[in-house]
Amino acid sequence: LDLYARDSKGKWRWAAATRPSKQEMQATLLRGIKPGMREYALYLPLYNGTESLAVGVPESAKFEGLGPRKAKPLIFYGTSITHGACASRPGMVHTAILGRRLEMPVINIGFSGNGKMHKEVGDLMAEVDAACYIIDCLPNMNAAAVNERCVPLVKQLRKARPHTPIVLVEDRRNPNSWLLPTRSKHHDANHATLRKAYEQLKAAGVKNLHYLGGDALLGDDAEGTTDGSHPNDLGFVRQADAFEPVLRKALGL
């Protein structure tokens, strides 16, 4: 679990975290909290399923649940990177960071190894009246698959939701791809094919379509990953920094 709280200026700030060490957990996140009413957000684990959760407070404390937010959600469709591998805690995934920065609910549909622009996922996405659809599947795809599936997926979403912003995201470059010509060529082909699909869709009159390049997603110092592919916490912050201006433009913020 990963706990955040709003400070007196309304800014989300990290407060506490714990991690599971057995099937049933009881843990104290914080003691001696500064008096006063404030809003808290608790992120569930990224990979461990949660069957039930109860939050306890001292008998003298006041605790009130908040109703669901009315704002439309951001929907991120992607890969294990979108899912959150390998963030140190749930609140450090770029989707969570962006949710706090933009003050918007987030639906994260990241599939480890299987974010591949499938029509069936598009059907489910289209059921939700989202604030924005973010398609970030290229780390699990090659140029041929992008060429086959990107345009149909965007048209599918646009037909169902004529005005919802859609953002296409290039894959990050593996930081050692400068040493690996085959890997570098793979990234080049993926980027070129997604860009071609984007231009094709724009030429066909698809409105409110946006594009995020991948070269700068992890920075330029090769320090943004755990394994050459999945971001570490630094990499996730850098991804959030890259996504934020594109999303603000798409959302008119």
Side-chain angles (χ1 to χ4, degrees):
L1 300 176
D2 199 4
L3 182 68
Y4 283 74
R6 286 194 193 272
D7 64 16
S8 59
K9 297 180 181 179
K11 180 180 179 180
W12 285 112
R13 299 181 66 174
W14 179 82
T18 187
R19 61 180 182 176
S21 58
K22 53 187 178 181
Q23 190 69 30
E24 294 186 9
M25 284 286 296
Q26 290 187 2
T28 300
L29 287 172
L30 281 176
R31 294 183 188 275
I33 298 174
K34 182 179 180 179
M37 291 293 290
R38 64 183 61 86
E39 185 177 355
Y40 292 91
L42 186 64
Y43 292 90
L44 299 180
L46 292 170
Y47 283 85
N48 292 307
T50 304
E51 294 184 1
S52 64
L53 174 67
V55 177
V57 298
E59 187 174 353
S60 60
K62 184 178 181 181
F63 183 85
E64 297 178 357
L66 298 177
R69 287 183 285 181
K70 296 181 180 180
K72 296 180 180 181
L74 302 168
I75 298 184
F76 290 83
Y77 174 28
T79 67
S80 55
I81 295 172
T82 302
H83 185 157
C86 297
S88 65
R89 49 187 175 79
M92 282 306 300
V93 183
H94 66 295
T95 56
I97 295 171
L98 289 164
R100 293 193 299 274
R101 289 183 183 179
L102 301 175
E103 293 287 355
M104 298 180 71
V106 168
I107 296 176
N108 182 325
I109 46 176
F111 299 100
S112 294
N114 287 285
K116 299 183 178 181
M117 298 189 185
H118 286 126
K119 175 185 180 299
E120 293 78 6
V121 178
D123 288 336
L124 295 174
M125 293 170 67
E127 291 181 8
V128 181
D129 184 13
C132 184
Y133 299 114
I134 301 100
I135 303 172
D136 189 7
C137 294
L138 262 63
N140 284 167
M141 302 178 72
N142 58 29
V146 176
N147 186 61
E148 175 187 347
R149 297 175 184 170
C150 181
V151 170
L153 177 60
V154 171
K155 288 185 175 180
Q156 176 187 3
L157 294 173
R158 182 53 73 238
K159 181 179 180 181
R161 302 289 179 178
H163 307 295
T164 304
I166 299 172
V167 177
L168 298 177
V169 185
E170 291 181 352
D171 56 330
R172 80 288 175 259
R173 288 186 182 268
N174 296 118
N176 59 356
S177 61
W178 65 278
L179 282 171
L180 304 170
T182 299
R183 174 53 48 175
S184 184
K185 184 177 180 181
H186 167 81
H187 290 311
D188 289 342
N190 260 7
H191 292 187
T193 306
L194 188 70
R195 171 64 70 171
K196 179 181 177 182
Y198 169 75
E199 298 294 350
Q200 179 182 337
L201 288 160
K202 296 285 283 186
V206 175
K207 304 295 185 183
N208 218 353
L209 184 64
H210 305 266
Y211 197 90
L212 175 57
D215 288 350
L217 285 177
L218 296 174
D220 62 359
D221 57 9
E223 302 291 356
T225 74
T226 59
D227 56 5
S229 175
H230 299 91
N232 52 28
D233 288 351
L234 173 63
F236 276 122
V237 170
R238 288 174 173 174
Q239 284 208 153
D241 289 343
F243 272 77
E244 185 176 356
V246 176
L247 290 176
R248 286 190 179 277
K249 180 180 179 182
L251 296 165
L253 299 178

